[in-house]
Amino acid sequence: MAIANDDDAYSGLTKLDAAPLWRYLGDLFRPEPKSVAIPTIWHYQALREYAMYFAEHLPIEDAQRRVLMLVNPGLQEPPATVNTLYAGIQILLPGEQAPAHRHTSNAFRFVIEGSGVYTTVDGERVHMRPGDLLMTAGMQWHDHFHPADEPMMWLDGLDYPLINSLEAGFYEKFPDTYQKSTAPDDISTRQFIHGRLNPTWIPRTSPNTPVGNYPWSETERALSAIGDDVDGCEHDGIALEYTNPLNGGPVLPTIGCRVQRLKPGFSGRPRRQTPSVICHVVRGHGTTQVGETLLQWHPNDVFVIPGWSTYQHKNAATDDDAVLFTYSNEPVMKSLNLYREESL
Ligand code: 1HN
């Protein structure tokens, strides 16, 4: 049958599961990236009330993980916080235990409040205190147990938006509800505690950091050892990257983590970069201009800088530091040769 006119041609093509590239070119090949994620801030004090409500009304057995997902208004289905990364606030009550599972998604936890919980990762109990950064790399078994006496909250970071878009998501329940302890407690933290004295017997074959916990006591020591006589990064202040001590690289193949001290009155030079960043306020208060949006942050708030959005951090206090914990998909961008940045 002959094609009678353009309308016929376009609709006929659709029925063949084909499409005219010339009608898509402008959207598919932009001069520069335009993130669908929206600059957004989640205020901890508002979320905390809901975390406490569900802690009281939803048994952990019904939830598996009692977590409030931080869903970017531009990334609702499937829910994500920025394009490749997720953030959530998890709460566990005294006496509760979150059952063991594993998945190909890489994860970490950054502790917000409370202490006493330990997460068992591949048989090792790793204890959690405020400010600690705990790693759960892809396919490591993990469950959380709370033997102490106050509610505990932490930030979960995962790369599942990336893993699912790559169609590489696998998930398994542990054969038992919980893991048994099969290694000395906190050994993966203790044996790497110096940072540059590495145990010689640990194989260097994994792309993931061998460190279970980067304790806040050490992070704080590193931050305060760098005095005010150092300027640091003109965009991000005294920004330190958590590294894999065996190779100096990022802690996970898909997620890079940092801690940033913004000195009193710090006003960063604006820039944009291809990685998307999720920021958690450890202490202090200030503002971050992200594109057209001004985000005002306070302790424990979480906010996002979508990729290629111009951002500028400011510490609002002139007599106190502000400290941010940040994570991004920089390792992905760098390994795919897609990293770019521009100072403004
Ligand atoms: C997960 O396994 C945990 O183990 C937390 O604590 C948050 C969000 C999405 C998928 C898996 C956890 C998660 C998660």
Side-chain angles (χ1 to χ4, degrees), residues 238-300:
I238 309 294
L240 304 178
E241 185 181 7
Y242 293 88
T243 58
N244 176 336
L246 295 181
N247 62 20
V251 287
L252 293 165
T254 53
I255 309 179
C257 295
R258 294 180 171 193
V259 64
Q260 298 178 211
R261 178 165 76 90
L262 310 181
K263 289 196 263 186
F266 177 84
S267 178
R269 180 174 172 193
R271 78 147 160 198
R272 53 186 176 175
Q273 52 171 9
T274 47
S276 295
V277 186
I278 299 179
C279 306
H280 165 79
V281 183
V282 179
R283 63 169 183 254
H285 63 110
T287 59
T288 301
Q289 180 78 37
V290 186
E292 305 292 293
T293 309
L294 184 70
L295 305 173
Q296 287 191 286
W297 39 261
H298 297 279
N300 299 325

Side-chain angles (χ1 to χ4, degrees), residues 157-175:
L158 283 95
D159 60 7
Y160 78 75
L162 176 68
I163 302 304
N164 287 349
S165 74
L166 293 172
E167 300 182 344
F170 293 83
Y171 169 92
E172 277 176 76
K173 283 188 169 164
F174 192 63

Side-chain angles (χ1 to χ4, degrees), residues 55 59-61 66 91-99 115-118 144-152 154 178:
I60 190 69
E61 294 74 22
R66 198 189 287 109
I91 179 166
L92 200 64
L93 294 181
E96 290 185 331
Q97 194 154 12
S115 60
V117 168
Y118 59 79
H144 318 309
F145 178 54
H146 195 348
D149 52 17
E150 52 180 351
M152 197 161 166
W154 62 83
Y178 313 115

Side-chain angles (χ1 to χ4, degrees), residues 67 86-90 108-110 144 154-158 327:
V67 187
Y86 154 94
I89 307 282
Q90 180 155 179
F108 70 78
R109 336 220 164 263
F110 187 88
H144 318 309
W154 62 83
L155 178 77
D156 288 309
L158 283 95
Y327 61 110

Side-chain angles (χ1 to χ4, degrees), residues 132-193:
D132 289 1
L133 172 67
L134 293 97
M135 311 312 304
T136 313
M139 292 318 268
Q140 289 187 311
W141 295 110
H142 54 286
D143 56 76
H144 318 309
F145 178 54
H146 195 348
D149 52 17
E150 52 180 351
M152 197 161 166
M153 264 78 95
W154 62 83
L155 178 77
D156 288 309
L158 283 95
D159 60 7
Y160 78 75
L162 176 68
I163 302 304
N164 287 349
S165 74
L166 293 172
E167 300 182 344
F170 293 83
Y171 169 92
E172 277 176 76
K173 283 188 169 164
F174 192 63
D176 251 329
T177 314
Y178 313 115
Q179 299 172 78
K180 290 191 171 58
S181 164
T182 57
D185 284 12
D186 294 304
I187 188 60
S188 69
T189 308
R190 291 187 280 124
Q191 66 193 359
F192 284 100
I193 203 66

